[in-house]
Amino acid sequence: MEDINIKAENVTKYFGNVVALNRISFEIKGKRIAILGHNGSGKTTIISMLLGLLKPDGGCIAINGVKSYENHKWVENNISFCFEKGKFPFHIKVSSFIKELREIRGRKSLVDELVSELNINRFENDFINELSSGQEQILYVLSTIASQNNILFLDEPFSHLDVFVRSKIYNYLRSSNKEFIIATQSIDEAELLCDTYVILNDGNLIWQGNMTELYDDKTFEVIPNPDLPDIGLNVIYTIENRYICEGNEGEFSKLVKEHKVIGFKRAGLRKVYGKIKQDY
Amino acid sequence: MVKLSKIIKWYLKTIMTSPVYEIVLLIVVLVQYASLFLSSSYFMFIFDSSILSFPVTAVFVGSGIFRDKSIQIFELNLFQSRRRISISKVIAAFITFIPILIINSLILVYFNYSFLIVPSILSMFVIFGIMSLSAIYNSTNQAITTTIMFSFLLPLSIEALLNNYASMGMRPNIVIASFSYLFSPLFAFYFFKDGIISLNPDYGYLFSFVFASFLVCIYILFTDKFQIKP
């Protein structure tokens, strides 16, 4: 498994008067990269450019030295992708689609394994137009991860999926030897699956880095005990009802024993994200 | 790499699995048969085919290959080649046109109008070219609207234009005559027989064949130049 290398230089993209990406420059290397950001931050635009679906209006962006929008063949031979909501062109039975997929992908055993793992059997006799959006999305994800291509681009692919299916796909992705790039809003998902991160906000690059850089200092994410609001530590900021504090593991263990906090862990990506929220 | 035959099968399935396909075939047969059976002139056949049967066929077949952007992206991921997808769409649409072409030709032979086979096939081929090029849109609605507009309005305009020339006792110049063959070989042929157009149909047919082929080629060659915003 080789690293994915993305290099962006002054990438700009407009949709009408809206600036989707504003002269973004970064260079990042990693096997599993997360692109994080709120709605409209530019995640899908970057993914689309890396897939060659869109061209930048200014600057250039390349993956492994290849400008995808100039070399579709390279993308077609190396990358499989999945966007937030898949749509099927016609209404056939799920079992017929799986049969087609076995033929198209030429990987019968993998498709069968994933069908059973993702519990697709339970709705394989239904027609695709009768499926829920989550079930439809499972088929889309299945068609992507069953591909022979080594790089996967996943743009918020799990947003309609239930927690059980999600965890099975997480396990598959973590144990597979595929490299991938995920665009997501979920800090937990990014932390669980990826080792390298790009964080965007309103078309601007906010932060980029890897796991080592994230866990370099003594910043912890603390879940306070609501009955004892004073946890006796300097809170840097709060995010999603959690405190981001500085300290060491000994101090936090002591607070857990005293029931002042319910739990704590290294702040990781949440720390960076909290800082962004504070700054913007 | 996914085999071309598999992609063609996928698009054929979209078109053929629709029960509307049989209905469209029936409409074409009925309209063409009725236009020759109930009328003493073959003009009704040309008129009905040009503004009803052929455009209906094109819109129906087109709706089987036109795709909204989310489906285009899904299929691009599935088949992993823009070029192969566009070639497959054209081939699948062409295969779907074949039964209609055969029925059309058989009806003409049955009524002893075999000389209309070539211009009617070419008229359908021109509409096929317009339909293929319309598939370049990322929106089914836009593609269908364009196909309807061009496949229905162009022959009608040519008919109106040549009728005006005829009523004024004038003959269109070579450019207008060529355009008539480009957009509606059937009407151009009719007006040639009537002595309004002097351009030899053989040249006209060549123009329309080259024009339709050109439209199909543009679609195949330029399909990967267009951006798709997810």
Side-chain angles (χ1 to χ4, degrees), chain A residues 13 15 44 48 51-57 72-73 76-77 79-83 85-90 92 96-97 100-101 103-105 139-140 143-144 147-149 155, chain B residues 1-3 6-7 9-15 17 63-64 66-84 223-230:
Chain A
K13 184 73 191 173
F15 295 117
T44 302
S48 305
L51 286 172
L53 298 174
L54 294 175
K55 287 178 196 166
D57 293 325
H72 291 127
K73 207 122 202 106
E76 290 160 5
N77 292 333
I79 305 176
S80 268
F81 51 89
C82 176
F83 283 88
K85 188 147 172 31
K87 267 199 174 177
F88 289 79
F90 50 88
I92 52 169
S96 306
F97 172 70
E100 294 269 350
L101 194 64
E103 282 180 27
I104 290 165
R105 292 291 187 235
L139 294 180
Y140 197 178
S143 70
T144 304
S147 157
Q148 291 183 346
N149 289 347
D155 185 356
Chain B
M1 191 170 277
V2 184
K3 278 186 186 168
K6 284 180 185 165
I7 313 178
K9 207 175 115 194
W10 173 270
Y11 286 105
L12 276 177
K13 206 175 248 185
T14 320
I15 307 168
T17 50
S63 63
F66 298 154
R67 295 287 193 263
D68 284 324
K69 57 188 179 183
S70 56
I71 298 176
Q72 277 192 27
I73 289 171
F74 169 76
E75 289 179 341
L76 186 56
N77 177 48
L78 202 59
F79 301 124
Q80 294 167 345
S81 169
R82 286 191 187 203
R83 186 61 54 83
R84 279 169 171 261
T223 189
D224 55 355
K225 306 282 180 230
F226 285 82
Q227 301 190 56
I228 310 172
K229 183 180 177 288

Side-chain angles (χ1 to χ4, degrees), chain A residues 148-197:
Chain A
Q148 291 183 346
N149 289 347
N150 281 328
I151 305 175
L152 304 179
F153 275 41
L154 308 163
D155 185 356
E156 301 194 41
F158 312 125
S159 46
H160 293 90
L161 305 184
D162 66 59
V163 69
F164 301 106
V165 174
R166 225 182 257 205
S167 66
K168 281 175 181 170
I169 296 173
Y170 288 166
N171 288 341
Y172 174 80
L173 287 174
R174 292 173 75 180
S175 60
S176 78
N177 58 357
K178 289 189 189 282
E179 301 129 55
F180 51 82
I181 297 180
I182 290 188
T184 179
Q185 296 187 48
S186 164
I187 301 168
D188 295 329
E189 200 168 87
E191 238 178 334
L192 184 72
L193 295 173
C194 303
D195 49 30
T196 312
Y197 313 97

Side-chain angles (χ1 to χ4, degrees), chain B residues 135-174:
Chain B
I136 221 157
Y137 283 115
N138 293 330
S139 150
T140 307
N141 292 343
Q142 262 180 311
I144 287 178
T145 310
T146 309
T147 306
I148 291 173
M149 293 287 285
F150 283 95
S151 62
F152 165 79
L153 284 180
L154 277 176
L156 203 62
S157 311
I158 295 296
E159 197 268 341
L161 180 74
L162 295 177
N163 245 334
N164 275 339
Y165 273 103
S167 62
M168 288 187 289
M170 291 165 66
R171 285 183 146 203
N173 60 30
I174 187 86

